[in-house]
């Protein structure tokens, strides 16, 4: 195999079985994966499963295949080490440099990016010892994904669940791409340049109800905002994602706040931006709402007539947070989905919009023909209030997300 070399570490948590799904995604997308379980992980999922799914021999010990010195070679030659699930015990060992099995030796010899996806009971996650270990690991540049909230091993629920394998996969792919080992790599870009920063991203499209069943909405899928949230988390930021009517898997390690209407979006954005270093408004808020919403379903008239709907303008959230800044040093980014018209080209209209809104950056999509909506790709121009313009050629929404964060990071520092 010639794809990026990934060591998939699995430690002894109940979520070890979910790493099988992560392994499948990694191998099916062309990664060369070596699974390194701990002895405890093998109590949950046996070596034959890992060997069959990865197509490689599996060992938890430093004593197997010693002539190839695996305790050093695996870490040295890896492009990425990802441990999922990472137990409280594994975090403690990694933070303190213990090396009593193949996985912990690999973590010490790895010079590539390391991603840890912890999973444990809430009490273990919140314990001061675990918190200190996580802080130590993060300070060394390890990407420790925040666990998800939800059902835990028993009947209890809380923070500590392993994020969806699909999302850990996206983080892994993202980190690989940024480190230059994932094909579309961009070497030299700081992997954790948003560490210690709080960022807010809005995504999706708001809905304004006419009656209990009908609404005015728009075609925003939320994919660009989700890509932005995921990218920021993988660069070390603490991310609040405000999602308006989005039907996508929550990105790993991101706090998701769900909203419906533009008024709800405004409330959530104003609350979250009070302490934010950067705000990216990728959501498409409805500009208008019905002046009155009927409490009962509006009936169809027998005479063929249709009701007339009076609309009123919604508040302009981007303009509000840009002109009345909660934190003057925060970087505020807007999006403009434009189509050119008789009054000007897409870029003319966007420059005027940037000035009108008062934000620092405006990401401009030409949406003539509706090509962008729901797609996994995008193409844009990032306009700066300082007159800059960065052309982003056709590519993934994830690639655009990183280029937007690059621009934000430049302005933050
Ligand atoms: C049924 C069961 C489930 C467990 N689940 C977890 C877990 O989700 N997270 C965790 O940190 N430890 C969990 N443990 C405890 C670990 O297995 C134990 O700390 C072990 O020493 C971890 O070893 P390792 O870090 O070398 O894999 C669990 C133990 C049992 C018996």
């Amino acid at each position: 195999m010639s794809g990026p070399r990934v060591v998939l570490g699995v430690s002894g948590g109940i979520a070890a079985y979910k790493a099988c799904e992560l392994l499948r995604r990694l191998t099916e997308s062309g990664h060369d994966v070596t699974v390194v379980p701990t002895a405890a992980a093998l109590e949950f999922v046996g070596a034959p499963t890992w060997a069959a799914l990865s197509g490689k021999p599996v060992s938890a010990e430093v004593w197997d295949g010693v002539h190839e010195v695996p305790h050093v070679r695996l870490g040295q030659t890896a492009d990425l080490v990802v441990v999922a699930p990472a137990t409280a015990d594994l975090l403690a060992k990694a933070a303190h440099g213990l090396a009593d099995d193949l996985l912990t030796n690999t973590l010490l010899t790895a010079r590539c990016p390391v991603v840890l996806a912890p999973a444990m009971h809430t009490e273990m996650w919140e314990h001061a010892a675990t918190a200190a270990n996580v802080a130590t690991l993060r300070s060394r540049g390890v990407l420790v994904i925040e666990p998800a909230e939800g059902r835990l091993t028993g009947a209890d629920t809380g923070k500590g669940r392993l994020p969806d394998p699909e999302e850990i996969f996206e983080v892994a792919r993202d980190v690989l791409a940024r480190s230059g080992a994932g094909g579309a790599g961009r070497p030299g870009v700081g992997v954790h340049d948003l560490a210690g920063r709080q960022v807010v991203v809005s995504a999706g499209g708001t809905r304004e109800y006419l009656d209990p069943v009908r609404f005015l909405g728009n075609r925003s899928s939320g994919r660009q905002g989700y890509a932005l949230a995921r990218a920021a988390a993988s660069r070390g930021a603490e991310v609040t994602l405000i999602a308006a009517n989005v039907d996508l898997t929550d990105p790993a390690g991101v706090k998701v706040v769900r909203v419906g209407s533009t008024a709800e979006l405004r409330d959530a954005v104003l609350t979250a931006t009070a302490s934010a270093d950067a705000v990216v408004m990728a959501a498409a808020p409805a500009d208008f709402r019905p002046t009155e919403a009927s409490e009962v379903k509006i009936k169809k008239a027998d005479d063929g007539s249709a009701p007339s709907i009076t609309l009123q303008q919604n508040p302009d959230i981007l303009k509000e947070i840009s002109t009345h800044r909660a934190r003057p040093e925060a970087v505020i980014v807007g999006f403009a989905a434009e189509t050119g018209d008789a009054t000007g080209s897409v870029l003319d209209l966007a420059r005027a919009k940037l000035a009108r809104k008062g934000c620092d950056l405006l990401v401009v999509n030409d949406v003539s023909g509706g090509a962008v909506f729901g797609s996994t790709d995008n193409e844009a121009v990032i306009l700066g209030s300082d007159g800059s313009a960065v052309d982003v050629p056709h590519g993934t929404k994830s690639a655009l997300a990183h280029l937007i964060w690059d621009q934000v990071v430049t302005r933050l520092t």
Side-chain angles (χ1 to χ4, degrees), residues 10-15 38-41 44 85-91 93 101 119-121 124 153 160:
V10 185
S11 52
I14 195 84
T38 63
F44 292 92
T87 56
D89 176 65
L90 188 280
L91 295 176
K93 284 180 178 169
D101 62 6
M120 62 199 70
H121 264 82
M124 293 173 96
T153 312

Side-chain angles (χ1 to χ4, degrees), residues 57-81:
V58 166
S59 172
E61 305 301 334
V62 292
W63 308 114
D64 295 328
V66 173
H67 61 290
E68 289 183 336
V69 208
H71 76 284
V72 177
R73 185 185 47 83
L74 275 173
Q76 278 178 340
T77 56
D79 295 311
L80 173 73
V81 178

Side-chain angles (χ1 to χ4, degrees), residues 127-180:
H127 195 283
T130 305
N133 292 332
V134 169
T136 301
L137 290 163
R138 283 182 174 154
S139 73
R140 290 188 196 134
V142 174
L143 179 61
V144 183
I145 302 176
E146 283 292 308
E149 286 192 30
R151 183 87 185 258
L152 302 171
T153 312
D156 43 354
T157 58
K159 188 162 182 176
R161 248 176 97 81
L162 189 72
D164 271 352
E166 182 189 338
E167 280 304 317
I168 302 172
F169 170 70
E170 291 297 341
V171 172
R173 214 163 50 160
D174 206 86
V175 170
L176 270 172
R178 280 176 53 70
S179 68

Side-chain angles (χ1 to χ4, degrees), residues 62 70-72 75 98-110:
V62 292
H71 76 284
V72 177
L98 267 64
D100 62 354
D101 62 6
L102 188 54
L103 179 55
T104 45
N105 274 272
T106 301
L107 286 168
L108 278 187
T109 50

